Amino acid sequence: MTDFPLASSHPTLNREKTAKSARDSFSAYNSKYLTVPQNRTSLNSSGTNGAFDTLSRMESFSSSIINNYLDGTQGGAVDKASPSGMHFRDSKRKVDYVLAYHYRKRLARHPPATGSLEPTHRAASLALVLNGGTGKGHAEPQWQGGGQRAPEEQPGPPGAEATELSPQDALEEEKRLQREEYERNLVEAGLEIEKDPENKSQGLSFVRIHAPWQVLSREAELLKIKMPTKKMYEITEEGGILKTLSEIWCKLTEPLQPQVPQQENTNMKNLSYPFSREKIYLYNIKDKDTFFDNATRSRIVREILKRTSIKARNSMGIGTLIANNVYEAAYPLHDGEYEGQNDDMNERKLLFREWARYGVFYKFQPIDLIRKYFGEKIGLYFAWLGLYTEFLIPSSVVGIIVFLYGCITIESDIPSKEMCDQRNAFTMCPLCDKFCDYWNLSSACATARASHLFDNPATVLFSIFMALWATMFLEQWKRLQMRLSYFWDLTGLEEEEEHPRPEYETKLLQKKLKNKNITGNSNEDEKEKLTWSDRMPGYAANFGLILFMIMLTFSAVFGVIVYRITTAAALSFSTNETTRSNVRVTVTATAVIINLVVILILDEIYGAVAKWLTEIEVPKTEKTFEERLILKAFLLKFVNSYAPIFYVAFFKGRFVGRPGRYVYVFDGYRMEECAPGGCLMELCIQLSIIMLGKQLIQNNLFEIGIPKLKKLFRKLKDERTETKEMETNQSKNPQQWDLDYILEPFTGLTPEYMEMIIQFGFVTLFVASFPLAPLFALLNNIIEVRLDAKKFVTELRRPDTVRAKDIGIWYNILSGIGKLSVIINAFVIAVTSDFIPRLMYQYAYSQNGTMHGFINHTLSYFNVSHLKAGTQPENSPFSQDVLFCRFKDYREPPWSQNQYEFSKQYWAVLSARLAFVILFQNLVMFLSVLVDWMIPDIPKDISEQIKKEKSVLVDFFLKEEHEKLKLIESFIARDKQKCKSGTKGERIRAASFCQFNRSQKGSFASFSSQHTEV
């Protein structure tokens, strides 16, 4: 059998001969090579003839598609499985994609039913059985010219026996027919398939797909995939001190570099250009089988799978078929095993050894290899995660310095020394009614000293530093993203037209049917789409449920507040002195743990609710679906994670009231107030426990444990559903598609980004209260990088490669958190900490300009005789001696005319707080804008290289065209010389001119084949 050329230069072909040879070869292929279920007949001749008649009327390249499908039959069938598990059974053609499905054969027959057969309906409850097998001639519709289905009048061959199917059998038969039609359409699209035998009553079967060169080249041109050309050009590096520093850094970090294959000359780069079959002479094609790498091949096949449709239920693409359980899974294969004793090295094994192990945590990530294996979208995620982790190193160092500064200066802190001095007998008012006694402020000495660790002047500078750090991080990411786009050939990447989601198509079909029933006619050419009125119920449900979920979060926070108040009151009644003295510590610790548990539970609930709410909106494309899901999930999880922290930072202790006029939640339960040293210490405890708990439990234990449990459950489910029948035609060793099927399916990067974005919020939003947050985030991320890497390499099926030039909506969320962090840190410093009151006292009220007397200045007097009846301490040994008690607030003394009203100091401090918020916010925002302006988004060298690449591309094109013209001129000159030799020369010249004319009409493929090695 002769193969057609890659790009045929003949304008016309003998189509009848092509169709005949295709039909004969197709039946030979079916009988020799393709493994089909033994209890089913082959494709009926009429359907096959119709399909190939349709193919013969396609464009000229359709002949090559048919021939590509038949290429593998020349050597005969090979019964054994591919030894590598990556190829068809001929061990030549690579498996580019796998479809998996469960099948179930009919176990029993039922009495025949009366009535006519309806072969055009897929859900028919009747089938014809011929010679013990399902006769497909009756159930599959005929094919008219152009690939359209025509109703079939004949119910089936004579002598066929009609049997009634159970509902489950009818459903299985419907799925089988849909699979066969879909696979036939894939063959018509040029793909080659190989199927497993269905030799059991029920079980799992795989359809393996291979894309030949003609299909790859055609789709690469349609998708405008950039491929390397023969031309290489030099990358100009920056000179001077930057180059020297870069060389020194490379030498110092050489032990940290992963041992992966690198380009021999890193200063040279291949010129890339969107693939074109007409300009195939431009590309450096040494081997057709390896020119497109595995990731590109699987991406091309996925595009064909997504746009190939069947007539049943207007199904469009593999997504609809998986949603309807016709197929169970569709995935590309991993490059073999990631561990083993064999010496065969593949990219998956290389990634495992150099990246996806905890033992290589100190090494840099092989970002280029990650991108090559998983695609640009996942490569950008790990590049972003790596840069974020690197940026946490300087912030961690500065945070440790701030913490050590607090430790060093704790002995010299005058306010805490005054609070701990036993000679300063500050008698404080009771913390609760009746059962709480007067107490001495010196008993809160430990809390005051601990607060100084985080509430000192250095935290203000650290807050400014972290705001600028966030801006620097985002700017550096934009530069790195642009650099990666250049080296990964993503510059000028156009937005690809996405296929509609199956749910959108189903909703649209329901709308069409509804309109058809109402109006009685339908216009097939009219393109309908879902309008805002169709989506209004979904939008209303979204608004109502999101509002309900936010209120649920606030209710959970309020419930914990009630727990703290009631538990504190209950412990105060205890007769145990130790219990009463540790009430605040006990209540704080248990309440934070309860908060953590509630946050973890609600996080899982909110993730599922956000997905469901997005689904009922019915977004058209996957990109729109992902963006809306991210916004909803982030909003709910942001409120859930930070609501308890916001309460402690800005609301706790603000609405307590004063002695004699306290605010009560329930009858007899006073609102809780901050500790004598302020709420900042409690905010630090709350933030640290929630942050560490989420990272340890949710980000690590859940991320490791849940996939393993799902994998075990799927394995047990398959073992339970599969019978113990022996597989006669299957190898004992599991193939790669079997091993990959057991793995967890890839569900997207949203969970990975989400946990890092929430962590970014912990690091930036409340960093003024917890300077060690960057350090704990750094330690977590060192593990997180390897944990995610191991999950992608060993526990997940290989994801479909997706080209992306940025991280999408996540950048906007990061930018928003960075700006919000400036405002929140300004309020934490001004409102929650004592930084402003101390500053005001030292420079406005202190007599000698020091902090001596600050504690007395912040405490107000209260006459104990003004306490409400029934609220005085019972059995107090100090009741006779105490005339005045103190409480923390700026209020007028009882001997003043406006007793217990806010004093002038209160309004002065409040004004200073607000002024600081405005000053801090504007200063930091100005510095952030200045940093943003000073650092260009596109590195200068990359900008120059992009311009250089364009000029090199034009020169390369002109040079190649000039060479072609010279070649044509040489042909003409040679023909003129031969023309002088006589008649023989005339014939040669005529033949040459014919060839020249054909080349002018078509492409220059015939000439390029003579001077280009392909």
Side-chain angles (χ1 to χ4, degrees), residues 77-210:
V78 180
D79 293 332
K80 293 183 180 179
S82 169
S84 65
M86 301 293 299
H87 295 79
F88 277 12
R89 301 195 179 200
D90 58 4
S91 298
K92 295 179 181 178
R93 289 174 292 175
K94 188 179 297 183
V95 177
D96 296 318
Y97 223 86
V98 174
L99 306 179
Y101 64 92
H102 277 96
Y103 65 89
R104 177 182 174 275
K105 297 181 181 179
R106 294 196 303 277
L107 300 178
R109 295 182 178 180
H110 302 276
T114 59
S116 61
L117 299 176
E118 292 292 336
T120 56
H121 290 81
R122 292 298 185 188
S125 60
L126 294 178
L128 289 176
V129 178
L130 179 61
N131 297 327
T134 303
K136 288 162 57 179
H138 74 282
E140 292 183 2
Q142 297 287 340
W143 292 79
Q144 294 178 343
Q148 299 297 323
R149 227 187 243 111
E152 191 175 336
E153 301 296 336
Q154 300 297 329
E161 178 188 356
T163 60
E164 183 179 1
L165 300 182
S166 65
Q168 188 175 4
D169 288 339
L171 180 61
E172 288 297 324
E173 181 70 10
E174 179 187 357
K175 292 180 181 178
R176 181 184 67 81
L177 295 174
Q178 290 186 32
R179 283 195 295 266
E180 290 175 351
E181 182 186 352
Y182 184 70
E183 290 159 16
R184 186 169 62 250
N185 292 342
L186 292 180
V187 172
E188 293 177 6
L191 298 177
E192 300 173 6
I193 64 174
E194 179 183 71
K195 297 185 67 173
D196 282 340
E198 298 178 4
N199 53 7
K200 298 193 298 184
S201 60
Q202 61 178 1
L204 178 67
S205 187
F206 296 96
V207 178
R208 295 174 288 281
I209 301 174
H210 168 76

Side-chain angles (χ1 to χ4, degrees), residues 262 360 614 865:
Q262 299 286 345
V360 293
T614 310
S865 62

Side-chain angles (χ1 to χ4, degrees), residues 14-54:
N14 190 342
R15 289 187 173 87
E16 294 181 1
K17 183 178 179 181
T18 303
K20 183 178 183 301
S21 62
R23 288 195 296 271
D24 298 337
S25 301
F26 184 82
S27 60
Y29 188 90
N30 232 6
S31 60
K32 283 187 177 183
Y33 186 78
L34 275 180
T35 307
V36 295
Q38 298 301 318
N39 66 329
R40 297 180 186 171
T41 60
S42 60
L43 289 172
N44 63 85
S45 60
S46 61
T48 308
N49 292 339
F52 280 100
D53 288 341
T54 301

Side-chain angles (χ1 to χ4, degrees), residues 347-411:
E347 291 181 350
R348 187 188 188 192
K349 184 179 291 187
L350 192 60
L351 283 171
F352 178 74
R353 289 185 180 179
E354 297 295 328
W355 179 55
R357 294 188 300 117
Y358 296 113
V360 293
F361 71 92
Y362 59 91
K363 289 188 176 183
F364 292 117
Q365 298 185 90
I367 294 297
D368 290 328
L369 185 59
I370 297 169
R371 169 253 178 179
K372 181 182 177 184
Y373 192 80
F374 292 110
E376 285 78 7
K377 191 171 185 179
I378 294 176
L380 284 174
Y381 163 70
F382 281 105
W384 175 84
L385 181 58
L387 182 68
Y388 172 48
T389 304
E390 290 174 11
F391 258 72
L392 285 173
I393 296 175
S395 60
S396 301
V397 172
V398 177
I400 292 173
I401 293 173
V402 170
F403 179 74
L404 291 177
Y405 172 82
C407 295
I408 294 171
T409 59
I410 191 170
E411 296 297 332

